[in-house]
Amino acid sequence: MSVKCSTNIVMLVGKGPSSLYMYNALKEEFEIDTVIIEDQADQMKFLKRRFKRLGFFKVLGQILFQLTIPKLLKLVSKRRRSEIIQQYNLSIEAIPESIVKNVSSVNSECCKNLLIDINPSIIIVNGTRIISKKVLSCVDSTFINTHVGITPKYRGVYGGYWAVANNDLNNFGTTVHLVDPGIDTGDILYQGRISIKRNDNFSTYPLLQIGIGTNLIKKALRDALAGDLTPQSALLKESILWYHPTLWYYLFMRVYRNVK
C-alpha cells in the first residue's frame, strides 16, 4: 500500500479529459485538497479577439479545421489512442464532487477568494485560460503547469503537431514549468522528449505528451515538497507562440509532406 505525500495541494483546471488524466495520475501519490474547475470561455468573445489579432480568413480556416480534422482523426485512431492510454495508465475517472469547486474563470473574484481562503502551498494548473497577475499574486503559492510542447520554441497550442510540421522531431515533447503572467513563458522545471510512431497523428500527439507530462509533474511535485524546485536553462532559445492550424494548411502538409 502506497503512502500519499500530504500537503496543501490545489488543482486549478479547465474542463476536459486532460484535467481528468492529470488528477487521476496524481491522486495515488499526492493528497489533492481541492480541484477548482473553470467554465469554458465565452466563444463569441474569444472569436472576436482572435479575429482582431489574426484576421478573418485565418480564423475561419482554424474554425473549419477544428470542426472536421480532429474529429475524423479521433475516429480512425481509436486503437492507437487506446494503446497510449494503456501505456501511460491514463484515466478519465470523475473527480470526487466533494473536493470540486466551480468558478466562471480562473481570473474571477470567486476563484481569487477561494485561493486566498485555502492558501495552498502548491497549485497545479492544467488547461485553463491565461492566469492574471492579480490571481498569481493573491497567494504565496507555487503555480506549476504542464505544457504540451517544448518551450520556449513551442509555446501556445499543439506544440507536438508544430514540431512535426517543422520537421523538428527531436523537440516533440512536454514541458513542466512555473507559471507567470505570460503564455508558457515561466521557468522550466522539466522537459521530456518523445519519439512518435508512423500511426500517430494530430489526435494522438497530445495523448503522448500528456502521458509523459504526468510523470514529469510528479517529479516537480516531489521537488516542491522537498523544497528543491530548481529551474533549468532552456535548450532552445527561439520563442514562438503557435495557434491552431487552418484547414488548408493542415491539408497541404498532409498531402505534400505527410504531416498527420
Side-chain angles (χ1 to χ4, degrees):
M1 183 177 178
S2 61
V3 178
K4 294 184 181 181
C5 297
S6 180
T7 190
N8 198 3
I9 301 174
V10 163
M11 292 187 70
L12 190 55
V13 304
K15 292 181 177 179
S18 70
S19 296
L20 298 178
Y21 294 146
M22 195 61 63
Y23 171 79
N24 286 305
L26 297 178
K27 70 177 183 180
E28 299 302 327
E29 182 174 348
F30 304 96
E31 191 74 44
I32 309 298
D33 182 78
T34 306
V35 180
I36 302 174
I37 304 177
E38 73 165 357
D39 290 336
Q40 292 181 337
D42 185 303
Q43 289 301 303
M44 288 305 298
K45 290 182 179 178
F46 174 80
L47 287 175
K48 285 179 181 178
R49 290 195 299 269
R50 186 60 60 85
F51 281 131
K52 187 175 181 180
R53 181 182 302 167
L54 301 178
F56 177 81
F57 188 69
K58 187 168 186 176
V59 176
L60 175 62
Q62 292 174 336
I63 293 171
L64 292 174
F65 170 81
Q66 288 179 271
L67 290 175
T68 54
I69 301 300
K71 294 177 182 179
L72 289 172
L73 290 177
K74 194 171 182 179
L75 285 174
V76 301
S77 304
K78 285 184 178 180
R79 179 176 295 182
R80 176 59 179 150
R81 288 173 60 86
S82 295
E83 288 176 359
I84 298 168
I85 288 169
Q86 185 174 10
Q87 176 184 352
Y88 290 103
N89 196 29
L90 299 176
S91 170
I92 57 169
E93 181 182 344
I95 301 169
E97 287 294 328
S98 59
I99 65 169
V100 170
K101 301 290 184 183
N102 293 288
V103 296
S104 59
S105 165
V106 292
N107 297 318
S108 65
E109 285 298 311
C110 178
C111 183
K112 179 181 172 183
N113 291 334
L114 269 174
L115 292 177
I116 292 171
D117 288 342
I118 300 168
N119 192 28
S121 56
I122 303 169
I123 298 174
I124 302 299
V125 179
N126 186 84
T128 71
R129 66 198 79 186
I130 303 303
I131 303 176
S132 67
K133 288 182 180 179
K134 71 174 184 179
V135 172
L136 291 174
S137 62
C138 75
V139 286
D140 187 20
S141 307
T142 301
F143 288 74
I144 304 175
N145 180 57
T146 304
H147 171 66
V148 287
I150 297 295
T151 62
K153 187 174 182 180
Y154 295 103
R155 297 163 44 232
V157 295
Y158 303 120
Y161 171 79
W162 289 115
V164 178
N166 289 328
N167 195 27
D168 190 15
L169 297 182
N170 290 331
N171 288 309
F172 180 103
T174 302
T175 301
V176 170
H177 64 89
L178 298 175
V179 180
D180 64 14
I183 302 176
D184 307 318
T185 53
D187 289 343
I188 295 166
L189 299 174
Y190 285 101
Q191 290 186 321
R193 288 162 169 81
I194 322 161
S195 296
I196 62 172
K197 295 184 177 181
R198 292 183 64 183
N199 58 341
D200 282 316
N201 57 46
F202 190 91
S203 169
T204 65
Y205 298 153
L207 279 178
L208 288 166
Q209 292 171 284
I210 291 166
I212 194 170
T214 58
N215 295 326
L216 297 177
I217 194 75
K218 288 177 183 178
K219 291 182 179 180
L221 271 174
R222 293 179 196 124
D223 290 346
L225 293 173
D228 191 30
L229 278 179
T230 307
Q232 304 176 8
S233 298
L235 296 178
L236 304 175
K237 302 305 179 185
E238 190 176 8
S239 180
I240 304 174
L241 181 61
W242 299 90
Y243 297 92
H244 298 76
T246 61
L247 177 61
W248 30 88
Y249 178 88
Y250 177 84
L251 292 176
F252 173 84
M253 296 297 286
R254 181 69 185 261
V255 172
Y256 292 101
R257 299 189 187 177
N258 197 33
V259 176
K260 301 176 184 179

